[in-house]
Amino acid sequence: MKSQYLITLCFVLTLPFPLSSTTNSYESSCHKKKFPALYVFGDSLIDCGNNNHLPSGGADYLPYGIDFMGGNTPTGRATNGKTVADFLAMHLGLPFVHPYLDLTNHQRNKIRTGINYASGGSGILPDTNNVTSLTLDKQIKFFHRTVKHNLHKMFNEKEKMEKHLSESLFFVSTGVNDYFHNGTFRGNKNLSLFLLNEFTLRIQRIYDLGARKFFVNNIPPAGCFPSKAIRERPRGNCDEKINKAISFYNRRLPEVLHELQSLLPGFSFVHADLFGFFKELRETGKSYGKKKSQMANQRAFESF
Ligand SMILES: *[C@@H]1O[C@H](CO)[C@@H](O)[C@H](O)[C@H]1NC(C)=O
Ligand SMILES: *[C@@H]1O[C@H](CO)[C@@H](O)[C@H](O)[C@H]1NC(C)=O
Ligand SMILES: *[C@@H]1O[C@H](CO)[C@@H](O)[C@H](O)[C@H]1NC(C)=O
């Protein structure tokens, strides 16, 4: 996960948001504190412990977390190490973002550097894994609570809070789980169009609560996830039917975001090609030091 994608992040982050200084080198753009906070919404790519608080459980057992800061303890992240959100926080000079459900109300009243609402298994739609994960609607509801109860108190003045929110970065990475019902692929063009529309409505809701700067991942190539590729012939090939449906969504996502930009005053976004990154990683994995295109635990990719 480390190198290429994040270098792209740093590079890309300098483009749409104006830098306050005249320097635009990679180093300064990556280590400068331009964003007061990072708020995170999405699925297991970036969940960092919310699901541990759900009855169905989360990534709360080994080998999850074995490489996280040398701790060798599960951190609630569906990975051996850091998530993209962790790397993003590091590169922005922010502390790791805490999962909303880990925090007491007292702690929520004090955190000015962002909160993570993401939940493994969740999607864009309210009926996607709505028992075992926090739906995007629920995540937005929790963010609403943060704004109304915690940030409001912290900033005293409404203008100061609005400034904070408008300068913060909102990272959204979701959608892959909507293509599966109980593990079975259910995608078609209609679903993709429907998802794009539903996604837009929810981005708009986050905007309405004060967010202005968005960092949006497209959907990764789920057809290449080991749980799918293992069933292909020849074994290990990507399921292109799945990838095709996801590509249909991905091709239109930037247009949809541009439409939002023309519609909503102050809205700006970075669109990141997670799909392309995963495809490239699959093809050139060895150069990243990756030995096998397999993940440690079936659950990690079943509810991505
Ligand atoms: C949860 O999903 C099921 C279908 O999977 C749906 O019938 C139900 O209405 C959903 N619940 C909510 C609160 O959206
Ligand atoms: C979901 O899948 C599991 C096992 O794959 C099966 O036992 C269960 O009946 C399925 N549930 C639905 C609602 O299809
Ligand atoms: C897609 O939606 C259209 C109407 O919007 C409908 O006529 C068509 O049957 C749908 N196709 C699928 C595969 O669901």
Side-chain angles (χ1 to χ4, degrees), residues 1-10 13 26 29-31 38 40 45-46 48 67-69 77 79-97 116 169 171 215 277:
M1 270 290 145
K2 215 190 271 184
S3 42
Q4 196 76 30
Y5 182 70
L6 278 162
I7 289 167
T8 311
L9 290 188
C10 289
L13 278 172
Y26 164 74
S29 63
C30 272
H31 294 109
L38 175 64
V40 182
L45 186 81
I46 47 182
C48 61
D67 298 319
F68 187 87
M69 317 285 286
R77 291 160 172 82
T79 166
N80 58 312
K82 299 189 192 77
T83 69
V84 178
D86 294 324
F87 285 113
L88 187 53
M90 284 165 65
H91 282 258
L92 296 175
L94 292 167
F96 288 142
V97 184
N116 186 327
L169 188 62
F171 182 19
F215 186 97
F277 170 73

Side-chain angles (χ1 to χ4, degrees), residues 40-43 46-51 116-120 122 134 139:
V40 182
F41 300 82
D43 55 32
I46 47 182
D47 182 354
C48 61
N50 283 312
N51 277 16
N116 186 327
Y117 307 90
S119 169
S122 69
L134 306 173
Q139 295 176 34

